[in-house]
Amino acid sequence: MRNWIIGVLTLIVAINAILGLIYQPVWWFLILTFFVWCVAIYDANQKHHSILRNFPLIGRVRWTVEALRPYLQQYVLETDTGGAPISRMFRTIVYQRAKNNRETVPFGTQLDTYENGYEWIGHSLSARELKEMDDDPRVNIGGPDCKKPYSASVLNISAMSFGSLSKNAILALNKGAAKGGFFHNTGEGGLTPYHLENGGDVVWQIGTGYFGCRTKDGRFDEKTFEEKAQLEQVKMIEIKLSQGAKPGHGGILPAYKNTPEIADIRGVEPGTQVDSPPRHSAFSTPIEMVDFIAKLRKLSGGKPVGIKLALGRKSEFVAMCKAMVKTGVTPDFITVDGGEGGTGAAPLEYTNSIGFPLREALAFVDDCLIGFDLRHKIKIIASGKIITAFQLAKNLSLGADLCNSARGMMLALGCVQSLSCNTNRCPTGVATQDPKLTKGLDVADKSIRVYLFHKKTLHALMDILSSTGHVSTTELNRTHIFRRVNQCNIARYDEIFPLVKRGSLLQDEVPERFKLHVKEANADSFMPCSLLADIEEETKEVS
């Protein structure tokens, strides 16, 4: 085939050359065909790609089709209920709300209500008028040691760093947050001028790299942290232990996104890939972790301090709870990030196969805090693929007090799910540091869209609540959500995720499903006491 292709192209070049002697304008075709012939010769002799070597020139069609495949799939072939990681149906509702367009749908649901896993909320014959509902539901965050509690919206902007997102994206998100009265989490990239410029409430996330409060050798800098944490706009501090998209793996900032400006903000070398450490250097045990929480609360002037984690080993979270009980020090909030969480760059295996999904993690964290009689001191924030009002309601019913959304806010900014966040070629200017692309994102326009998405999603949430007969989000619980388990059985959330009694994990009669985790957990170590599950008596225990 290779010789045949080269032969045909050689013949075409020869014919064009002969015709050019007769009719000179044909020389233009000769230039084109000669160029194509040169490409084919190169393809036939290179040794890196076997398809190109065997099928010179023609093999390049495969690359072209592969490059176009995501766009053809999304714009031509994708159904309303298809598309990953966010389906077209959910992307559309974000765009409609952000643009203040009509958001009703005709002719009934496109979902298969008899499919396993289908979920819904029960309505009530005691439904309320929407005008009776609070259009801005809020939650007070601050435990017994917090001097400056914060009143947070039940929907906020989840952690996304400057570096992962463009400066215009950060500016638009924060301006939208300021207009709508909800908070903007900085992500582990640190507190930047773009988070402060428009006056929106900020949650400063402190990751393992301590960006923005980092010594030259990469450790935590108390003095720098204290100066920034006491800024009026910084409302809360969040210590990131792990994130759902790549739990147990540090953050990744590709070299081509690490501009001199970002490097200066983070305190790193520009133009290099920045890999955050997989764990903190400021503490190494649960006891040390809660001491670090107390230290940050003091340095910040008494502001709420919390932790963010994706659930891995259950015994490790139990160990944290034991440390809280032992010391009397608790975080003011815990952000639970689901394994389905999104990110700009992560290894495939981490994205697909590591960490508990949000619902299972959220239920376990809520149960543990209740079982150790800590729940009344700590608020829970749910984070992980939360786009619609019903997804808000599900997580609030399962145990969350409020929710964060990252990809929903990105879509409100204009993200088209081109899946190019890790390439620096985001076409909408959201997830890129290329100034030519960033320029296309208008801060004033997109900030209004972020504000409207938040406002209309909360309106939809309160509309759902009114149909269930409830006035407040605090009235939601696990008895309100139903799931089709299989074709013969429907179960409520409280049947799928059984509730525990308050203080039950402090007693001798620990519920059976918690016994192993409580036995393995130790306040002086994140690692479980036994590395092998003590399921049977003959199981060998490893110290």
Side-chain angles (χ1 to χ4, degrees):
M1 180 61 75
R2 173 174 51 192
N3 293 335
W4 184 84
I5 294 172
I6 296 296
V8 170
L9 289 174
T10 303
L11 180 61
I12 292 173
V13 170
I15 292 171
N16 278 339
I18 294 170
L19 292 174
L21 295 173
I22 301 171
Y23 184 60
Q24 285 190 347
V26 175
W27 286 109
W28 291 107
F29 291 101
L30 177 62
I31 294 172
L32 176 62
T33 53
F34 181 74
F35 173 76
V36 170
W37 179 82
C38 289
V39 172
I41 293 296
Y42 170 81
D43 289 347
N45 289 281
Q46 57 80 39
K47 297 179 181 179
H48 295 293
H49 304 286
S50 57
I51 289 179
L52 282 186
R53 189 172 173 83
N54 291 331
F55 302 91
L57 193 65
I58 294 176
R60 292 180 178 270
V61 174
R62 177 176 179 270
W63 292 352
T64 304
V65 173
E66 277 194 337
L68 292 174
R69 177 177 171 270
Y71 305 102
L72 292 172
Q73 191 168 12
Q74 182 176 150
Y75 296 114
V76 180
L77 304 176
E78 187 177 279
T79 65
D80 283 345
T81 55
I86 309 296
S87 72
R88 176 177 288 275
M89 178 186 297
F90 291 152
R91 299 200 307 271
T92 299
I93 193 65
V94 174
Y95 298 146
Q96 288 171 334
R97 287 175 175 160
K99 296 176 183 179
N100 202 24
N101 291 341
R102 182 177 58 224
E103 54 187 277
T104 55
V105 295
F107 225 65
T109 180
Q110 295 187 40
L111 300 177
D112 182 357
T113 60
Y114 293 95
E115 182 181 15
N116 292 350
Y118 174 74
E119 294 179 332
W120 67 96
I121 189 169
H123 68 282
S124 172
L125 294 177
S126 300
R128 298 176 178 274
E129 293 283 350
L130 186 55
K131 61 185 178 183
E132 300 178 49
M133 313 298 290
D134 183 359
D135 61 357
D136 185 23
R138 307 192 76 81
V139 176
N140 287 321
I141 302 177
D145 298 322
C146 177
K147 296 178 181 178
K148 297 180 179 178
Y150 174 65
S151 177
S153 171
V154 298
L155 176 62
N156 305 278
I157 302 171
S158 197
M160 294 180 285
S161 303
F162 172 52
S164 177
L165 300 191
S166 67
K167 71 173 186 180
N168 280 14
I170 297 294
L171 286 168
L173 288 171
N174 195 260
K175 191 170 184 178
K179 183 174 177 63
F182 49 100
F183 71 68
H184 179 191
N185 191 306
T186 66
E188 69 169 308
L191 187 64
T192 74
Y194 307 118
H195 290 102
L196 302 173
E197 184 174 321
N198 289 311
D201 291 347
V202 168
V203 174
W204 183 12
Q205 186 182 91
I206 309 296
T208 55
Y210 305 112
F211 301 126
C213 53
R214 169 190 176 98
T215 61
K216 289 184 178 180
D217 61 352
R219 294 186 173 273
F220 177 66
D221 186 335
E222 290 188 21
K223 184 177 180 182
T224 307
F225 171 82
E226 185 175 15
E227 290 174 359
K228 295 181 180 179
Q230 295 200 24
L231 292 172
E232 177 60 29
Q233 206 172 316
V234 176
K235 301 300 181 182
M236 301 197 295
I237 311 296
E238 180 179 82
I239 304 166
K240 175 189 165 184
L241 304 180
S242 57
Q243 69 179 93
K246 43 182 181 281
H249 192 294
I252 302 171
L253 179 67
Y256 46 76
K257 281 191 172 185
N258 187 14
T259 65
E261 180 185 30
I262 290 170
D264 181 61
I265 289 169
R266 295 195 179 199
V268 296
E269 193 69 26
T272 60
Q273 177 164 311
V274 181
D275 297 322
S276 300
R279 62 184 182 187
H280 281 266
S281 59
F283 56 87
S284 58
T285 70
I287 292 288
E288 291 177 0
M289 183 196 75
V290 295
D291 288 342
F292 189 63
I293 290 171
K295 177 190 286 188
L296 296 195
R297 190 181 286 126
K298 181 179 179 181
L299 291 173
S300 67
K303 293 178 180 179
V305 177
I307 58 174
K308 173 183 178 177
L309 80 160
L311 185 66
R313 283 196 181 102
K314 289 184 175 181
S315 57
E316 292 183 356
F317 186 75
V318 174
M320 295 181 204
C321 292
K322 286 188 174 183
M324 296 173 203
V325 171
K326 185 175 182 178
T327 62
V329 178
T330 58
D332 298 290
F333 65 93
I334 295 175
T335 302
V336 182
D337 203 16
E340 64 271 41
T343 183
L348 177 72
E349 293 84 355
Y350 280 81
T351 297
N352 287 349
S353 309
I354 298 183
F356 272 76
L358 178 57
R359 282 174 292 188
E360 285 73 16
L362 178 58
F364 181 80
V365 168
D366 185 48
D367 289 341
C368 276
L369 294 179
I370 292 171
F372 281 100
D373 198 16
L374 298 167
R375 187 65 175 88
H376 59 289
K377 299 179 181 179
I378 303 170
K379 293 296 189 291
I380 296 178
I381 304 174
S383 171
K385 215 171 180 179
I386 297 172
I387 305 291
T388 69
F390 178 61
Q391 290 164 346
L392 274 171
K394 283 198 297 185
N395 287 289
L396 295 173
S397 298
L398 198 50
D401 295 290
L402 58 154
C403 298
N404 288 350
S405 176
R407 281 171 285 187
M409 297 296 178
M410 287 178 69
L411 291 168
L413 281 174
C415 167
V416 293
Q417 194 170 275
S418 63
L419 304 182
S420 55
C421 311
N422 59 336
T423 66
N424 208 32
R425 297 196 298 269
C426 170
T428 58
V430 175
T432 177
Q433 299 307 313
D434 185 336
K436 295 178 183 177
L437 295 171
T438 300
K439 188 177 180 180
L441 196 159
D442 184 78
V443 173
D445 176 63
K446 302 307 181 187
S447 66
I448 295 296
R449 293 190 182 191
V450 170
Y451 159 73
L452 285 171
F453 167 65
H454 174 270
K455 179 181 179 180
K456 300 195 80 172
T457 302
L458 284 191
H459 178 84
L461 172 65
M462 301 316 289
D463 203 2
I464 290 173
L465 279 184
S466 71
S467 296
T468 64
H470 298 111
V471 175
S472 170
T473 57
T474 59
E475 296 179 59
L476 288 172
N477 59 55
R478 298 181 195 180
T479 66
H480 298 129
I481 305 293
F482 297 82
R483 181 191 296 174
R484 182 176 298 284
V485 179
N486 54 49
Q487 294 303 299
C488 300
N489 295 290
I490 292 169
R492 288 193 319 243
Y493 266 8
D494 63 315
E495 296 171 309
I496 301 170
F497 307 103
L499 296 163
V500 299
K501 292 183 179 179
R502 180 175 173 180
S504 60
L505 300 185
L506 295 170
Q507 302 168 2
D508 293 332
E509 294 298 321
V510 175
E512 188 64 35
R513 70 183 190 279
F514 287 92
K515 280 185 178 179
L516 174 63
H517 309 304
V518 172
K519 182 179 179 181
E520 287 185 331
N522 185 341
D524 295 313
S525 174
F526 284 115
M527 292 296 291
C529 298
S530 169
L531 298 181
L532 293 177
D534 187 16
I535 297 173
E536 299 178 0
E537 291 182 6
E538 62 267 24
T539 299
K540 183 178 180 181
E541 188 170 274
V542 179
S543 299

